[in-house]
């Protein structure tokens, strides 16, 4: 990248070097434990791809707080982060938001990336979704594990010494920081 782009990227808190696959539902923590036990994120709905978000994890605590109000939350603060450059090299791409007409104009090769969008009616563009066209992604040591609390880290990562993520609620809010190795 040229120097100007690097400077811009460094000033943008809404950009991330990682894409994240978050678990959902009332058993989100258990789902993450299963992913770690299996050593892979799987396409359990047989869609032909696995979904991720490029939203920076530092920007997500308020969203997770909203979702926690539901018995079966759409997303929970448990997941796996993959460096975006590696993800792209594996074939991961951002989704294409649009109308049915837009979808009809896409080649069959791009259909897996399409997501319907109707502003004010059906709009999930806030997800900043990316997809990986695989049935399974094998976790590696460069990936990041995201957990909600330090207690979760101790419980979930007990058998996974080579993966690190800390997420710590402080003063009624969240301070989330992550590292991976």
């Amino acid at each position: 990248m040229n120097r100007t782009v690097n400077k811009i990227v460094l000033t943008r808190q809404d950009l991330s070097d990682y894409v994240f696959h978050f678990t959902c539902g009332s058993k989100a923590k258990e789902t993450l434990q299963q992913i770690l036990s299996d050593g892979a994120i799987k396409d359990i709905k047989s869609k032909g791809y696995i979904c991720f978000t490029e939203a920076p994890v530092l920007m997500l605590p308020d969203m997770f707080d909203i979702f926690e109000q539901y018995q079966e939350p759409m997303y929970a603060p448990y997941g796996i982060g993959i460096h975006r450059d590696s993800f792209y090299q594996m074939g991961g791409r951002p989704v294409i938001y649009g109308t049915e007409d837009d979808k009809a104009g896409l080649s069959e090769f791009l259909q897996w990336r399409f997501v319907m969008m109707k502003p004010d009616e059906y709009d999930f563009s806030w997800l900043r979704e990316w997809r990986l066209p695989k049935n399974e992604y094998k976790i590696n040591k460069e990936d990041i594990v995201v957990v909600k609390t330090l207690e979760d880290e101790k419980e979930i990562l007990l058998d996974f010494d080579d993966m690190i993520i800390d997420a710590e609620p402080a003063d009624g809010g969240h301070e989330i920081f992550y590292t991976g190795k």
Side-chain angles (χ1 to χ4, degrees):
M1 262 192 277
N2 70 42
R3 280 188 240 175
T4 302
V5 172
N6 280 333
K7 286 179 186 177
I8 292 168
V9 168
L10 289 173
T11 66
R12 298 272 311 269
Q13 291 183 338
D14 63 322
L15 300 177
S16 176
D17 290 335
Y18 288 84
V19 293
F20 295 93
H21 176 84
F22 289 107
T23 59
C24 63
S26 59
K27 298 196 181 286
K29 183 169 34 172
E30 291 84 354
T31 300
L32 176 59
Q33 289 172 308
Q34 187 64 53
I35 288 170
L36 292 172
S37 178
D38 293 345
I41 301 170
K42 298 177 181 177
D43 172 19
I44 59 172
K45 294 184 180 178
S46 301
K47 292 181 175 182
Y49 54 81
I50 304 168
C51 300
F52 293 77
T53 178
E54 74 166 328
V57 73
L58 293 171
M59 306 295 280
L60 298 177
D62 292 335
M63 179 190 78
F64 290 132
D65 286 345
I66 292 168
F67 282 132
E68 281 185 349
Q69 298 173 29
Y70 298 94
Q71 188 172 352
E72 293 295 323
M74 182 177 180
Y75 293 104
Y78 300 97
I80 303 291
I82 302 169
H83 198 277
R84 198 176 71 156
D85 293 347
S86 299
F87 188 79
Y88 188 85
Q89 292 300 319
M90 289 182 283
R93 298 291 184 268
V95 301
I96 301 167
Y97 296 101
T99 65
E100 283 294 330
D101 289 340
D102 294 332
K103 184 178 181 179
L106 292 175
S107 71
E108 185 67 33
F109 178 73
L110 294 175
Q111 295 287 320
W112 67 276
R113 292 178 54 193
F114 182 80
V115 173
M116 174 62 68
M117 182 173 153
K118 296 179 182 179
D120 298 326
E121 188 179 328
Y122 188 86
D123 182 354
F124 285 91
S125 60
W126 56 270
L127 284 172
R128 296 171 63 173
E129 185 177 343
W130 282 57
R131 292 178 176 172
L132 184 65
K134 297 182 179 226
N135 295 320
E136 181 175 278
Y137 168 74
K138 295 276 188 196
I139 298 168
N140 66 62
K141 293 180 181 185
E142 287 76 40
D143 296 338
I144 294 172
V145 178
V146 178
V147 296
K148 183 178 177 183
T149 66
L150 291 175
E151 290 76 25
D152 288 337
E153 177 186 13
K154 291 172 187 165
E155 176 187 345
I156 292 172
L157 300 180
L158 191 59
D159 297 326
F160 302 96
D161 297 338
D162 54 350
M163 295 180 156
I164 300 173
I165 180 66
D166 288 341
E168 183 175 30
D171 302 320
H174 298 282
E175 285 184 20
I176 297 178
F177 52 95
Y178 58 90
T179 59
K181 64 178 184 176

